[in-house]
Amino acid sequence: YGDFKLPLYIYFTVIPVFLFGLNAFSVRFISILAGTFSILLIYLILQKIFPKNKSIPFIVLTDTNRSYNVVRDSFKNGASDALRKPIFAEEFILKVDQLVEYYKTIQELTRQTQLLESYKNIVDISVIVSKTNPQGVITYVNSMFCKLSQYSSEELIGKPHNIVRHPDVPKEIFQDMWETIQNQQIWRGVVKNRAKDGSTYIVKTSIMPIINIDGEIEEYISLRSDITALYHCLLYTSPS
């Protein structure tokens, strides 16, 4: 299975049990008598042998006289599948291949989720972030947004984004913004906003629509940088 490392354990219910781990470098075989072991006990043994692996995938292979309770207990105690003997080698290998591919996908999704969480964390501590639903109602704000606007997240979430709109900003700017993002394009601009205490702050803004698998807008995400100090510096130093 290449460089994919997955511990996979097979439990035979009638004759001795063979538990083996598949990885890129070795195959481990452990043999125990199965007649006196319950599926739960097998699972607990696996957790004891491999304490670092909190989720051990394994297949239960039973005889032809298996009962409903055996199948139920198999899945209840974490079995990935419950197969009945006799079984063709090709069918068994196919099941193992499917299980390996499934856990490979799960591992990749977990890795991608961890990466996305890392990206989110670095963005959250670097820029002002907010999200809205397609109607412009706020669904998420980060701490930098709250600090600059002087609103708490509880005061912002569920409110329309114009809660921080400054009355000096021409309506044409917001009309252009809405037309752009509703056409699934990124809008960029400099916007004057008003904080809770009435003070003004200036943000360099990018708003991007998030598109779902049906091609529809799921939400909007906005990233902003506070350029208030720079704006006033340029304003005061520019020729009159």
Side-chain angles (χ1 to χ4, degrees), residues 208-221:
M208 185 178 76
I210 304 300
I211 312 302
N212 63 24
I213 59 175
D214 297 320
E216 301 170 340
I217 296 174
E218 185 79 17
E219 60 183 0
Y220 298 108
I221 183 167

Side-chain angles (χ1 to χ4, degrees), residues 76-178:
K76 183 178 179 181
N77 291 290
S80 301
D81 207 342
L83 307 179
R84 177 184 295 179
K85 296 185 295 184
I87 184 171
F88 290 109
E90 293 82 359
E91 180 183 355
F92 180 75
I93 292 172
L94 177 61
K95 290 289 185 180
V96 172
D97 283 342
Q98 290 174 339
L99 184 61
V100 169
E101 288 301 316
Y102 171 76
Y103 278 94
K104 186 189 294 185
T105 301
I106 294 298
Q107 280 194 356
E108 179 61 22
L109 289 174
T110 301
R111 188 182 72 85
Q112 292 292 339
T113 300
Q114 291 172 342
L115 282 175
L116 288 174
E117 187 64 25
S118 298
Y119 297 153
K120 176 183 178 297
N121 290 339
I122 191 63
V123 168
D124 267 343
I125 64 176
S126 304
V127 296
I128 303 155
V129 183
S130 67
K131 294 196 298 183
T132 72
N133 65 14
Q135 290 73 45
V137 176
I138 298 172
T139 58
Y140 172 81
V141 290
N142 69 346
S143 59
M144 291 187 67
F145 189 109
C146 294
K147 181 178 180 180
L148 191 59
S149 69
Q150 302 176 17
Y151 289 98
S152 68
S153 59
E154 290 78 13
E155 292 175 301
L156 291 166
I157 292 175
K159 300 294 193 305
H161 215 292
N162 61 16
I163 188 174
V164 294
R165 179 184 299 180
H166 198 287
D168 289 351
V169 181
K171 292 182 179 179
E172 290 77 14
I173 291 181
F174 293 106
Q175 181 178 351
D176 174 66
M177 179 197 73
W178 272 108

Side-chain angles (χ1 to χ4, degrees), residues 179-231:
E179 288 178 355
T180 301
I181 61 178
Q182 286 178 338
N183 285 324
Q184 302 187 3
Q185 303 296 315
I186 298 175
W187 184 87
R188 298 179 179 88
V190 174
V191 179
K192 179 191 288 187
N193 283 340
R194 183 165 62 181
K196 186 177 180 179
D197 67 355
S199 60
T200 297
Y201 62 94
I202 313 296
V203 287
K204 183 179 179 182
T205 304
S206 297
I207 305 174
M208 185 178 76
I210 304 300
I211 312 302
N212 63 24
I213 59 175
D214 297 320
E216 301 170 340
I217 296 174
E218 185 79 17
E219 60 183 0
Y220 298 108
I221 183 167
S222 303
L223 304 183
R224 301 174 182 83
S225 300
D226 181 11
I227 60 169
T228 306
L230 177 62
Y231 177 84

